Amino acid sequence: MSITINGKAVDPPEDPRVSLLDLLRDHLALPGAKMGCNQGACGACTVLVDGERVLSCLTLAAQMEGRSVTTIEGIGSPDVLAPLQQAFVEHDGFQCGYCTPGQICSALAMVEELRRGVPSHVTGDVSSEAIAFSSEELRERMSGNLCRCGAYNGIIDAITATCRETAE
Amino acid sequence: MTPFKYTRASDAADAVRKGAATGVKFLGGGTNLVDLMRETIERPGELVDVSGLSTEIVETDEGGLRIGAGVRNTALAEHRRVRTAYPMLTRAMVSGASAQIRNMATVGGNLLQRTRCSYFYDEDGSRCNKRVPGEGCDAIEGFHRGHAILGASDACIAVHPSDMCVALAALDAVVHIEGAKGARTVPLVDFHCLPGDRPDIETVLEPGDLITAVELPPMPFAAASTYRKVRDRASYAFALVSVAAAIEIEDGQVRDVRIALGGVAHKPWRATRAEAALRGAPAGETAFAGAAATELAGARPLADNAFKVRLAERTIVSVLCELAGVTA
């Protein structure tokens, strides 16, 4: 069985030690997802698997057989930026840009989680069906993506500008 | 990582059969195991992927819930019945890790998380009785402000890192296990071990045993339960102290209560002494503080983690006051 990556079928690696992140970067020349800590602490390697955000550094590529992976390369291109990518530019959602692919993948799935009503640590009433879209909710839900440049305010502004309607 | 073979189990029986061989580990979401393998602290010869097995949450005939071991943390947190009947469990789930990790991590894997003690991780530079039994523990004389104050030993002061397990301990959860000798159940509070002189033995699982589910019995008063986690930063950090609690009050008196603590011991710590002190007591801050002090009377802190004793007491009191609707 193959792995679907940005719509294309890819054979899983022969060596099961290869992580999804290594498969993307070293085997498939898709350098968008970044290696930060390589131990699940920074979120720079975040990609989407069947629409859900996961950490590719802690995912064995072998586990991805039959699944569909989307990386930042499958979301937008330098010529045609996705709306959230454009918003990151307009709202200064980055300085060095290293964490940005992970931030964007994470945010896109986060908005779907909000829309679905998944509660968070800061949700007042976890039995509530609908979660209010707020800066506090966004900050908590994006806490798995670190930005060493500290562009958090711009990141929250970019997500708010692009995704508020989708989330509500 | 050392080389290993990767296979997928087709069902629980297949997993138990494959798991009987030496050097086999079951793989769930991999969020802890893959990291430990990369650090060569875990060196399995074969990984049997069980993440696709038992992924359902079903209501039991008794009115409780049976949660499959392959259920992802996010799926458990957002489950409608969990949110309404056992909100402390949802709160515990969303207090743990990050959203990405919760999308990956399974219930079974959460039970089998290993400690985040930095000396356990430091294979090249530190002694650890959990890694190498009998070698010694560098945490006891080292950086241990996050370590255990209850139930520790001269061999190990590590804490269990799970938030989920703290709520499960308070909710009288039962672990379903399948092994070579058939199926059995173990109460969650008896599933993990205190370190004693063998801190490398962390659970009652036998080689090849597979966790298939966790069952929650019905507990009507848990509908108003909660979980509070105290940590060094507001999000994405392990607990210094956490409290899962549910309380049933009738005519101003405590009719029933459940309290469990996280971040203080080698296992999720069910506060049975505090519970016993509270049953029949007036529901107020005085009784809550007395019960908390009774539980923590057994604490044996070290030089740098003594703050956890008062922190645990105060968090218990604060959480019980919140649930009882009285001011602390």
Side-chain angles (χ1 to χ4, degrees), chain A residues 16-17 38-40 46 53 57-59 63 65 106 113 116-117 121 123-124 126-128 140 143 145, chain B residues 1 4 6 8 27-28 31 35 38 49 78 80 83 91 94-95 98-101 103-104 231 235-236:
Chain A
R17 290 178 293 180
N38 210 29
Q39 57 177 16
T46 302
R53 48 179 170 164
C57 78
L58 292 182
T59 302
Q63 289 181 281
E65 280 189 65
S106 186
E113 291 164 12
R116 202 166 81 214
H121 173 61
T123 303
V126 295
S127 70
S128 168
E140 162 60 25
S143 70
N145 291 84
Chain B
M1 270 188 234
F4 61 89
Y6 170 89
R8 287 190 196 192
L27 177 66
T31 56
D35 187 31
R38 193 170 277 144
D49 191 339
E78 72 174 303
R80 174 104 323 255
R83 290 161 72 166
R91 290 220 172 271
V94 297
S95 300
S98 67
Q100 289 97 315
I101 290 173
N103 282 339
M104 303 165 72
R231 44 187 162 175
S235 185
Y236 203 11

Side-chain angles (χ1 to χ4, degrees), chain B residues 84-144:
Chain B
T84 53
Y86 309 97
M88 73 157 79
L89 182 53
T90 286
R91 290 220 172 271
M93 303 311 301
V94 297
S95 300
S98 67
Q100 289 97 315
I101 290 173
R102 294 193 293 269
N103 282 339
M104 303 165 72
T106 62
V107 167
N110 193 313
L111 259 66
L112 296 180
Q113 276 188 87
R114 305 204 68 190
T115 186
R116 262 54 174 200
C117 172
S118 50
Y119 298 96
F120 171 65
Y121 268 77
D122 182 22
E123 196 180 17
D124 297 331
S126 305
R127 295 176 306 154
C128 172
N129 288 319
K130 204 179 260 305
R131 257 191 291 107
V132 184
E135 181 181 54
C137 167
D138 278 339
I140 290 172
E141 300 281 320
F143 183 72
H144 57 236

Side-chain angles (χ1 to χ4, degrees), chain B residues 7-328:
Chain B
T7 52
R8 287 190 196 192
S10 54
D11 55 31
D14 183 41
V16 170
R17 204 162 39 241
K18 288 180 165 130
T22 310
V24 175
K25 282 258 173 198
F26 294 130
L27 177 66
T31 56
N32 190 204
L33 182 55
V34 170
D35 187 31
L36 289 167
M37 287 168 62
R38 193 170 277 144
E39 299 290 333
T40 66
I41 293 165
E42 297 274 13
R43 301 182 192 90
E46 180 175 352
L47 283 186
V48 176
D49 191 339
V50 296
S51 63
L53 310 181
S54 45
T55 56
E56 304 271 293
I57 303 175
V58 293
E59 297 203 22
T60 62
D61 294 342
E62 297 76 39
L65 282 182
R66 185 181 159 116
I67 302 155
V71 170
R72 307 285 169 169
N73 284 193
T74 303
L76 180 56
E78 72 174 303
H79 189 269
R80 174 104 323 255
R81 273 271 293 160
V82 175
R83 290 161 72 166
T84 53
Y86 309 97
M88 73 157 79
L89 182 53
T90 286
R91 290 220 172 271
M93 303 311 301
V94 297
S95 300
S98 67
Q100 289 97 315
I101 290 173
R102 294 193 293 269
N103 282 339
M104 303 165 72
T106 62
V107 167
N110 193 313
L111 259 66
L112 296 180
Q113 276 188 87
R114 305 204 68 190
T115 186
R116 262 54 174 200
C117 172
S118 50
Y119 298 96
F120 171 65
Y121 268 77
D122 182 22
E123 196 180 17
D124 297 331
S126 305
R127 295 176 306 154
C128 172
N129 288 319
K130 204 179 260 305
R131 257 191 291 107
V132 184
E135 181 181 54
C137 167
D138 278 339
I140 290 172
E141 300 281 320
F143 183 72
H144 57 236
R145 71 183 280 277
H147 286 68
I149 54 171
L150 289 163
S153 72
D154 292 340
C156 182
I157 57 169
V159 296
H160 194 262
S162 170
D163 294 293
M164 181 189 83
C165 290
V166 181
L168 293 182
L171 292 170
D172 295 336
V174 172
V175 183
H176 289 250
I177 299 162
E178 279 194 38
K181 293 176 216 156
R184 70 183 196 280
T185 59
V186 176
L188 188 281
V189 291
D190 298 328
F191 179 81
H192 299 96
C193 305
L194 286 176
D197 58 4
R198 288 298 303 273
D200 54 313
I201 301 171
E202 295 173 351
T203 71
V204 299
L205 290 181
E206 301 283 341
D209 275 351
L210 175 73
I211 300 168
T212 55
V214 171
E215 187 170 332
L216 301 179
M219 189 183 285
F221 70 96
S225 62
T226 195
Y227 180 80
R228 192 181 301 178
K229 181 174 184 178
V230 184
R231 44 187 162 175
D232 282 329
R233 57 186 186 205
S235 185
Y236 203 11
F238 291 102
L240 292 168
V241 163
S242 68
V243 174
I247 190 164
E248 183 177 27
I249 296 167
E250 201 173 71
D251 299 329
Q253 288 200 319
V254 178
R255 189 184 151 98
D256 206 353
V257 63
R258 297 286 185 283
I259 306 168
L261 307 177
V264 296
H266 198 255
K267 59 185 284 186
W269 189 266
R270 178 74 177 261
T272 50
R273 291 177 190 180
E275 291 178 7
L278 279 173
R279 288 196 183 91
E285 192 191 349
T286 307
F288 298 158
T294 302
E295 189 66 46
L296 273 300
R300 297 287 176 271
L302 295 159
D304 297 326
N305 66 359
F307 75 96
K308 281 192 177 189
V309 179
R310 287 292 286 140
L311 186 63
E313 286 183 22
R314 287 173 172 171
T315 309
I316 293 171
V317 173
S318 178
V319 165
L320 292 178
C321 283
E322 176 192 322
L323 290 173
V326 298
T327 46

